[in-house]
Amino acid sequence: MRSRVEQFESIRRDSRDKGMSIRELSRVHNVHRRTVRAALSSAVPPLRKEAERVAPVLGPWVETITGWLREDLTWPKKQRHTGRRVWQRLIEEEGAVLAESTVTHAVARIRRELVSGVSQVMVPQTHLPAEEAEVDFGEFWAVIAGVELKLWIFVLRLSFSGRAVRVAYSNQAQESFLDGHELAFDRFGGVPTRMVRYDNLKTAVLRQLLGRDRVENPRFIALRSHYGFDSFFCKPGIEGAHEKGGVEGDIGRFRRRWLTPLPVFSSIAKLNEYLEQCDGRDDGRVISAKPATVGALFAQEAPLLRPLPPGSFDAAETLSAKADAKSRICVRQSYYSVPARYAGRRVSVRLGARQVEVFAEGKRVAVHVRAIHRNSYVLELDHYLEVLQRKPGAFAGATALVSARASGAFTPGHQHFWDRARRQLGDSGGTRALIEVLLLHRTLPADIVAQTMRHAILQKDFDLEHLAVFARTHVDSATPTVPVTPLAATIHLPERQAPSLARYDQLLTAFGGSR
């Protein structure tokens, strides 16, 4: 079937070449004379007029529906009309006879017309090198030590180059938020010179005020003051998502590219090593509308960043906790052991994103890797050894022993020594011998302790004093001796003459002469 342009071309050609009249052209081409006149006047066919469709059934109610939907714009979103509710009101209140689908389609069309005038227009932005960055958290799933966990990825992304630092945490707590900044700035080797964009995270904002005003968290203010950058808070909700759209989109892209399928690692530390490698591999990526790769743009940007301030920012939170009768403290719904002598006493805790430190009497008494599960127990066997010396029967079922085996601190060598010692000394005596060996780990290298256990097994001598003497002896023999050089060979003193008393003789003569 010919198009109208081709039809017009044929009519114009026959008129020009064959001299046909309008009547003849109408008959030959089977069109109305109006069409012939239109073709002769212009090579381009005029636009067809769309017929105005009449809605005899819905027409009387369009104005009513429009009024209801216009009122909706001032009402709470969760209590606005749906298409079904509009149809129900027309039936019940107005006595209309309409199909539900007719009304719902009309509601959708009228609603689009009402809101089309208030849609937001995004203004393109230019980000200069080293000036701005964006921060956000994104959730993802991973298998850590055989358990499927929901984790959070902290992302700090430079706006110019698109270079980002990503760190995985088990939560979005403030210590993770602050620690992520410290790691990111350290890897970048500098700080943005202008501002960092945020949404309204509770770790940074205590309360939202009118407009852009916020009551900020004091710890966040301290971080900003330490590194010397300004903060910009986006509008709440989806309305402000475009104000830091770079990091919003990057989280989704990174999750699909590097975290699909679910990553499997033995610990979060291993997962973060993988994420750091992925950051480096992303340097070869070219972001849409950028003139070069991420790595090339970052090479331009890095020298322009503000230098890092002297010293590091302390991202840890200081807490106070009281150890219970089982020598444990509870921090954020997880339990950590402290040395048994601090049971029932109050201690100071530095809660970091990756570790928990316990202080008492002005010194650090315990340090643990932070737990990633709620209601979990992070217990160190060494903290209970003094108690187990008095209660050796509790050793075999101790939760700390289970943890030590899982972490590898309690080795097959320890188990072999324990089995042989119990066979020779009985359960209590063999367990006390093992505890004595474990106490040696506090002051002696692990290889010396392992050598001591092998010697005891070969000699079938599990006497506590003999074990200690053997270990100390081998430590002394393993310590390299420092050769002593004679003092005269290293220090050369100037030669001194023998003292003379001639001046005293002169004085005596002088005083004697005066008499």
Side-chain angles (χ1 to χ4, degrees), residues 51-321:
E52 295 184 3
R53 301 184 64 182
V54 180
V57 177
L58 182 66
W61 313 111
V62 171
E63 194 171 326
T64 302
I65 296 173
T66 304
W68 290 347
L69 296 181
R70 186 175 285 112
E71 289 180 5
D72 273 355
L73 297 177
T74 62
W75 292 354
K77 289 185 177 181
K78 293 185 177 181
Q79 290 179 263
R80 294 180 181 178
H81 284 87
T82 62
R84 164 164 285 196
R85 181 56 185 149
V86 171
W87 173 68
Q88 290 172 341
R89 288 190 64 185
L90 289 174
I91 299 297
E92 297 171 359
E93 300 177 14
E94 306 295 335
V97 180
L98 294 166
E100 182 179 355
S101 60
T102 302
V103 176
T104 54
H105 292 158
V107 167
R109 176 178 55 79
I110 295 171
R111 184 171 281 138
R112 284 195 300 269
E113 293 173 356
L114 291 177
V115 301
S116 62
V118 296
S119 60
Q120 291 188 351
V121 177
M122 309 307 173
V123 180
Q125 299 289 302
T126 298
H127 303 287
L128 298 179
E131 284 197 351
E132 297 181 19
E134 301 168 337
V135 167
D136 203 2
F137 272 105
E139 65 179 59
F140 71 103
W141 289 82
V143 178
I144 304 297
V147 180
E148 189 173 309
L149 294 175
K150 180 180 179 181
L151 301 176
W152 300 90
I153 185 170
F154 171 90
V155 182
L156 195 153
R157 179 181 183 272
L158 296 175
S159 300
F160 172 75
S161 64
R163 184 70 155 85
V165 170
R166 304 167 183 89
V167 189
Y169 295 102
S170 60
N171 53 54
Q172 297 183 86
Q174 188 179 73
E175 55 272 11
S176 301
F177 177 72
L178 300 178
D179 184 75
H181 281 79
E182 188 176 8
L183 280 175
F185 292 148
D186 184 62
R187 291 185 192 172
F188 288 147
V191 184
T193 58
R194 189 167 166 231
M195 67 181 178
V196 180
R197 296 176 182 270
Y198 302 89
D199 54 19
N200 298 276
L201 297 167
K202 292 183 179 179
T203 50
V205 177
L206 295 179
R207 189 168 69 254
Q208 299 179 29
L209 304 178
L210 293 176
R212 300 283 183 177
D213 294 335
R214 305 288 188 273
V215 177
E216 299 175 39
N217 192 297
R219 292 285 292 156
F220 173 69
I221 296 174
L223 173 83
R224 190 177 60 199
S225 175
H226 178 79
Y227 286 105
F229 64 88
D230 294 327
S231 57
F232 175 89
F233 294 103
C234 303
K235 291 181 180 179
I238 197 170
E239 292 182 1
H242 68 278
E243 295 182 335
K244 57 178 184 63
V247 71
E248 295 272 358
D250 184 79
I251 289 176
R253 180 205 63 82
F254 188 87
R255 187 164 45 209
R256 292 186 295 271
R257 177 64 180 87
W258 300 112
L259 299 176
T260 303
L262 268 62
V264 180
F265 290 94
S266 59
S267 65
I268 291 185
K270 295 293 183 183
L271 171 60
N272 277 322
E273 292 178 6
Y274 167 74
L275 295 182
E276 187 173 359
Q277 294 173 5
C278 295
D279 290 343
R281 294 166 72 179
D282 265 353
D283 282 349
R285 186 172 67 95
V286 177
I287 300 175
S288 176
K290 295 283 187 179
T293 64
V294 170
L297 293 175
F298 178 67
Q300 302 175 26
E301 188 171 28
L304 304 177
L305 294 170
R306 180 181 290 116
L308 293 172
S312 60
F313 181 78
D314 186 8
E317 182 178 0
T318 301
L319 307 171
S320 179

Side-chain angles (χ1 to χ4, degrees), residues 276-411:
E276 187 173 359
Q277 294 173 5
C278 295
D279 290 343
R281 294 166 72 179
D282 265 353
D283 282 349
R285 186 172 67 95
V286 177
I287 300 175
S288 176
K290 295 283 187 179
T293 64
V294 170
L297 293 175
F298 178 67
Q300 302 175 26
E301 188 171 28
L304 304 177
L305 294 170
R306 180 181 290 116
L308 293 172
S312 60
F313 181 78
D314 186 8
E317 182 178 0
T318 301
L319 307 171
S320 179
K322 184 177 181 181
D324 60 16
K326 297 180 180 179
S327 194
R328 304 172 308 185
I329 58 172
C330 183
V331 180
R332 298 282 173 85
Q333 300 182 13
S334 294
Y335 292 86
Y336 303 88
S337 66
V338 297
R341 62 183 178 276
Y342 296 104
R345 297 171 58 180
R346 188 162 288 278
V347 295
S348 179
V349 181
R350 288 186 74 253
L351 178 64
R354 294 183 294 276
Q355 69 177 15
V356 177
E357 298 176 279
V358 184
F359 293 84
E361 301 171 349
K363 61 182 180 180
R364 189 172 73 173
V365 298
V367 57
H368 298 281
V369 175
R370 183 166 176 176
I372 59 177
H373 305 282
R374 291 183 178 181
N375 300 317
S376 58
Y377 296 86
V378 183
L379 307 181
E380 189 173 334
L381 183 59
D382 181 76
H383 293 162
Y384 296 92
L385 294 181
E386 285 82 1
V387 177
L388 292 171
Q389 279 182 318
R390 302 191 305 271
K391 302 178 179 179
F395 187 90
T399 305
L401 177 60
V402 177
S403 300
R405 282 190 172 123
S407 66
F410 192 84
T411 65

Side-chain angles (χ1 to χ4, degrees), residues 4-5 7-9 11-12 22 25-26 31-47:
R4 294 194 74 203
V5 177
Q7 187 183 53
F8 272 40
E9 182 187 26
I11 294 173
R12 292 169 66 87
I22 293 177
L25 288 171
S26 174
V31 293
H32 199 278
R33 281 173 289 178
R34 286 191 301 269
T35 304
V36 174
R37 291 189 181 94
L40 296 177
S41 63
S42 174
V44 179
L47 297 176

